[in-house]
């Protein structure tokens, strides 16, 4: 019965794509919360752990006893603390209705919020349109949402949190126990090679220059992508991410005057390349015939 229901829904792919778009917009709103709060939660935990380890009192900032996580407190304006009502929190539309300003104090709202919501909606619709309403499509949504979250956090903080990368890695292995995207053998080997390849480059670069070229979060992200897509996808992911990263990095230096000494996060380029590999496996195999995805 369940299989016949899925097949029936497959015949209404435009409708399913529209539902995925709306769902993606809602998830995009939550991703905005995650990218804003998770680094703060991590920083708070690090300070607490360091204070405990060094046996020094933690500096008081007046928020002791207050719950701060992904659910609490409720979303509010950072300037006037106006609690955002439900109708002010509708993805994209609320931003347009409010003309990009807080309804209480008229403080400008970052354009990034609707951009993330709209981008998540579009990418979610593409995943379901491409794979259909099935296990592959639903798992592809989870991977897409995680990659968007990691991209935003890395851009802001140059961090790829273990709270996302490690569950993503294990989830990729779990999904491929049932050969959803690749075989479990390819997934396990992909996780191993994904981590060790960038780990090796990191140490070679550090020994040669005395500098750290990337962070450990990049190793874990590539390991996660290997667990999801198999080891065969890794050369293409590394190639695409390197090319895109080089083009964007050089463009920012030439046209925006960015200091070449300021590190550029590599995680977003890995995430972009990984998502392209998820969607365009057949096309990439034609472009790179020496790699069997």
């Amino acid at each position: 019965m369940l299989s016949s229901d899925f097949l029936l829904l497959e015949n209404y792919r435009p409708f399913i794509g529209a539902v995925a778009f709306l769902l993606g917009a809602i998830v995009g709103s939550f991703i905005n919360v995650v990218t804003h709060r998770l680094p703060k939660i991590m920083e708070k935990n690090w300070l607490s752990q360091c204070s405990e380890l060094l046996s020094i009192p933690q500096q008081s900032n007046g928020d002791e006893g207050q719950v701060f996580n992904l659910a609490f407190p409720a979303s509010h304006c950072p300037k006037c603390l106006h609690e955002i009502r439900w109708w002010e929190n509708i993805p994209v539309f609320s931003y347009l209705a409010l003309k990009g300003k807080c309804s209480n104090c008229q403080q400008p709202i970052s354009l990034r919020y609707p951009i993330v919501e709209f981008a998540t909606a579009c990418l979610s619709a593409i995943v379901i349109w491409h794979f259909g309403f099935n296990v592959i499509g639903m798992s592809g949504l989870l991977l897409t949402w995680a990659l968007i979250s990691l991209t935003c956090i890395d851009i802001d903080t140059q961090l790829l949190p273990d709270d996302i990368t490690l569950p993503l890695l294990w989830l990729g292995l779990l999904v491929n126990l049932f050969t959803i995207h690749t075989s479990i053998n390819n997934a396990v080997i992909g996780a191993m090679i994904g981590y060790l390849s960038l780990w090796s480059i990191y140490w070679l670069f550090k020994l040669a220059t005395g500098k750290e070229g990337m962070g450990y979060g990049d190793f874990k992200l590539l390991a996660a992508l290997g667990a999801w897509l198999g080891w065969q996808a890794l050369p293409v992911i590394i190639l695409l991410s390197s090319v895109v990263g080089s083009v964007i990095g050089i463009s920012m230096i030439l046209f925006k005057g960015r200091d070449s000494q300021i590190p550029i996060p590599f995680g977003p380029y890995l995430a972009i390349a990984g998502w392209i590999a998820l969607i365009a496996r057949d096309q990439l195999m034609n472009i790179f015939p020496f790699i069997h995805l």
Side-chain angles (χ1 to χ4, degrees):
M1 179 65 181
L2 185 60
S3 297
S4 62
D5 290 341
F6 273 105
L7 289 174
L8 181 63
L9 288 171
E10 282 289 294
N11 295 327
Y12 296 93
R13 188 165 291 193
F15 172 74
I16 299 301
V19 172
F21 182 90
L22 295 175
L23 176 62
I26 294 171
V27 173
S29 180
F30 180 67
I31 287 175
N32 280 325
V33 175
V34 171
T35 57
H36 175 71
R37 296 193 181 190
L38 184 56
K40 294 181 182 296
I41 294 170
M42 292 166 56
E43 181 180 0
K44 188 174 182 179
N45 290 338
W46 291 336
L47 289 173
S48 177
Q49 292 167 8
C50 289
S51 297
E52 183 178 350
L53 181 64
L54 297 174
S55 299
I56 58 176
Q58 188 172 346
Q59 263 191 335
S60 173
N61 54 11
D63 63 353
E64 289 78 4
Q66 296 183 8
V67 177
F68 185 79
N69 53 39
L70 298 181
F72 298 98
S75 297
H76 56 273
C77 173
K79 182 178 180 181
C80 68
L81 302 182
H82 164 69
E83 186 171 323
I84 298 175
R85 291 160 286 191
W86 70 266
W87 61 267
E88 297 174 320
N89 207 24
I90 301 173
V92 181
F93 295 104
S94 289
Y95 181 89
L96 297 176
L98 294 170
K99 298 180 180 179
K101 297 179 181 179
C102 171
S103 62
N104 186 59
C105 68
Q106 300 302 304
Q107 173 79 0
I109 302 171
S110 173
L111 184 60
R112 171 170 160 170
Y113 293 120
I115 289 176
V116 170
E117 292 164 353
F118 185 71
T120 306
C122 290
L123 295 182
S124 299
I126 291 171
V127 168
I128 292 300
W129 184 274
H130 182 75
F131 292 114
F133 184 69
N134 49 43
V135 177
I136 300 177
M138 298 305 291
S139 62
L141 284 181
L142 294 177
L143 177 58
T144 299
W145 297 338
L147 292 178
I148 295 172
S149 300
L150 289 169
T151 295
C152 294
I153 292 174
D154 202 15
I155 290 174
D156 288 344
T157 65
Q158 296 189 1
L159 295 172
L160 292 170
D162 287 351
D163 289 350
I164 299 178
T165 55
L166 295 184
L168 187 64
L169 190 158
W170 292 113
L171 184 59
L173 295 177
L174 177 62
V175 163
N176 286 321
L177 274 176
F178 306 97
T179 319
I180 302 301
H181 293 277
T182 188
S183 71
I184 186 60
N185 289 340
N186 289 341
V188 171
I189 296 172
M192 294 168 57
I193 294 178
Y195 189 92
L196 291 175
S197 58
L198 290 188
W199 179 87
S200 301
I201 294 173
Y202 167 87
W203 280 107
L204 288 173
F205 183 82
K206 187 171 184 179
L207 290 173
T209 65
K211 301 179 181 179
E212 297 183 356
M214 62 183 71
Y216 277 67
D218 297 319
F219 315 162
K220 297 168 190 174
L221 175 54
L222 189 58
L225 291 172
W228 276 83
L229 304 176
W231 64 268
Q232 297 92 335
L234 294 177
V236 171
I237 292 173
I238 293 174
L239 177 61
L240 288 176
S241 59
S242 299
V243 170
V244 173
S246 298
V247 170
I248 294 178
I250 293 173
S251 298
M252 291 177 67
I253 293 172
L254 293 178
F255 300 110
K256 288 197 171 184
R258 182 188 177 98
D259 188 345
S260 61
Q261 299 302 314
I262 298 176
I264 297 174
F266 190 51
Y269 309 127
L270 285 175
I272 292 169
W275 190 82
I276 292 173
L278 169 71
I279 295 296
R281 296 172 70 89
D282 295 337
Q283 292 84 346
L284 289 173
M285 188 164 56
N286 292 331
I287 296 173
F288 305 101
F290 55 92
I291 296 172
H292 179 67
L293 292 177

